[in-house]
């Protein structure tokens, strides 16, 4: 218990230092320079105006990363990831965390069985993905992120965190091919999710649709979904009519292709 309490104190101290650095930067008059998220923003840049000398130094970040790697306490992991996520809002720290092998250590947290830890890891990777060099390393987790989105409870914070990361990773077409198998899931979320979920998944779909190579995959997924919907509707009508009458029932299926608006 004493060691665990000491670790939590260490996280709190590092977190307080990060918050102080963030306050110093905000007080320095750098308001209004946030990059727009998702499809609305341009490609991530290594020359973000948010870079500042008032950020966590490499030594503090290294201790935080080592702490994340060493502990199995979900509460400590969560707090460490929150601090790393906040510090990753600055381009200087994005490079430092990458050079300290922080991306792979954070990436391992995606396999954690605690949803909150996984969510905070996705948030940290989301901020780190504003850097093109970081994207080259983060892209190895795209398939895993897609699986997390599909398995997460509908409209959950975990699902939204995964969609936010995919939004940044789909700004360029470099990694679109890794998301092809999840397009049906995205379309399902677009129709079944809440407004927050719909907006976030729509950003991903808009980014994918900007790539001509993705057009056939998007259309194919739409056809499959419409076929599934019509199949369920056809089955329901058949079952309903069978219970109402003993006479043979002939239903004419709707032609699927004619319903697609290109």
């Amino acid at each position: 218990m004493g060691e665990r309490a000491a670790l939590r104190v260490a996280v709190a101290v590092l977190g307080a230092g990060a918050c102080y650095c963030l306050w110093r930067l905000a007080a320095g008059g750098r308001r209004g320079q946030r990059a727009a998220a998702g499809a609305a923003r341009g490609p991530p840049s290594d020359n973000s105006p948010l870079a500042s000398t008032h950020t966590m130094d490499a030594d503090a970040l290294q201790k935080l990363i080592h702490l994340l790697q060493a502990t199995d306490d979900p509460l400590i992991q969560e707090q460490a990831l929150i601090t790393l996520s906040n510090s990753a809002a600055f381009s200087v720290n994005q490079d430092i965390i990458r050079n300290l092998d922080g991306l792979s250590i954070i990436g391992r947290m995606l396999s954690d069985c605690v949803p909150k830890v996984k969510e905070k890891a996705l948030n940290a990777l989301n901020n780190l993905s504003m850097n093109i060099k970081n994207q080259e390393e983060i892209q190895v987790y795209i398939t895993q992120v897609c699986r997390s989105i599909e398995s997460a409870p509908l409209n959950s914070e975990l699902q939204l965190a995964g969609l936010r990361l995919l939004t940044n990773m789909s700004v360029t077409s470099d990694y679109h091919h890794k998301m092809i198998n999840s397009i049906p899931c995205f379309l399902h979320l677009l129709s079944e999710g809440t407004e927050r979920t719909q907006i976030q998944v729509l950003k991903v779909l808009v980014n994918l649709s900007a790539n001509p190579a993705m057009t056939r995959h998007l259309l194919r997924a739409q056809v499959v979904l419409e076929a599934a919907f019509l199949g369920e509707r056809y089955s329901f009508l058949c079952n309903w009519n069978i219970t109402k009458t003993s006479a043979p029932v002939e239903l004419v299926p709707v032609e699927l292709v004619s319903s697609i608006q290109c």
Side-chain angles (χ1 to χ4, degrees):
M1 289 296 293
E3 181 181 354
R4 184 169 290 184
L7 288 173
R8 290 181 180 175
V9 170
V11 173
V13 171
L14 289 170
C19 291
Y20 174 72
C21 291
L22 294 174
W23 176 82
R24 285 288 303 272
L25 181 61
R30 294 181 179 270
R31 299 186 181 102
Q33 295 182 351
R34 295 176 184 172
R41 72 172 179 82
S45 171
D46 291 339
N47 300 313
S48 168
L50 289 174
S52 170
T53 56
H54 300 301
T55 56
M56 292 183 71
D57 59 27
D59 185 58
L61 287 170
Q62 185 174 40
K63 290 178 181 177
L64 195 59
I65 291 170
H66 286 170
L67 177 62
L68 180 63
Q69 189 176 23
T71 183
D72 292 326
D73 188 326
L75 292 178
I76 295 176
Q77 291 173 335
E78 188 177 340
Q79 291 302 314
L81 287 167
I82 290 172
T83 304
L84 284 170
S85 180
N86 289 339
S87 66
F90 305 93
S91 60
V92 171
N93 289 341
Q94 293 167 9
D95 292 329
I96 293 174
I97 292 172
R98 182 185 67 253
N99 294 333
L100 292 173
D101 198 31
L103 295 177
S104 63
I105 293 172
I106 295 172
R108 290 182 203 135
M109 298 292 105
L110 297 179
S111 301
D112 199 284
C113 59
V114 180
K116 277 291 183 183
V117 173
K118 189 181 296 186
E119 174 198 333
K120 296 303 185 291
L122 286 168
N123 288 339
L125 290 176
N126 178 56
N127 284 350
L128 288 163
S129 69
M130 301 293 288
N131 180 307
I132 290 180
K133 290 183 179 179
N134 286 353
Q135 284 196 2
E136 294 173 0
E137 296 190 26
I138 294 172
Q139 58 92 13
V140 301
Y141 302 109
I142 288 179
T143 301
Q144 189 174 356
V145 172
C146 289
R147 287 199 299 264
S148 295
I149 292 171
E150 294 174 14
S151 62
L154 182 62
N155 305 317
S156 63
E157 292 300 322
L158 175 59
Q159 193 172 69
L160 287 167
L163 288 170
R164 282 192 292 267
L165 175 56
L166 291 189
T167 300
N168 280 350
M169 295 300 294
S170 61
V171 166
T172 66
S173 61
D174 295 344
Y175 313 116
H176 285 183
H177 63 283
K178 292 177 174 285
M179 306 178 197
I180 290 174
N181 292 336
S182 293
I183 291 176
C185 172
F186 299 154
L187 294 177
H188 172 73
L189 294 179
L190 189 62
S191 63
E192 299 296 330
T194 61
E195 183 178 354
R196 288 179 68 204
T197 301
Q198 289 173 341
I199 290 173
Q200 200 61 56
V201 77
L202 188 59
K203 291 180 181 180
V204 178
L205 289 171
V206 167
N207 285 351
L208 294 179
S209 66
N211 180 2
M214 298 297 293
T215 302
R216 64 188 179 94
H217 299 292
L218 290 165
L219 290 176
R220 182 183 301 165
Q222 180 183 352
V223 167
V224 170
L225 283 180
E226 291 196 17
F229 170 75
L230 290 175
E232 290 177 2
R233 183 172 154 193
Y234 184 89
S235 176
F236 170 78
L237 290 174
C238 285
N239 291 335
W240 184 84
N241 279 281
I242 289 172
T243 59
K244 292 295 182 181
T245 178
S246 59
V249 178
E250 181 179 357
L251 297 177
V252 180
V254 178
E255 185 178 354
L256 184 61
V257 176
S258 62
S259 65
I260 300 177
Q261 302 297 322
C262 297

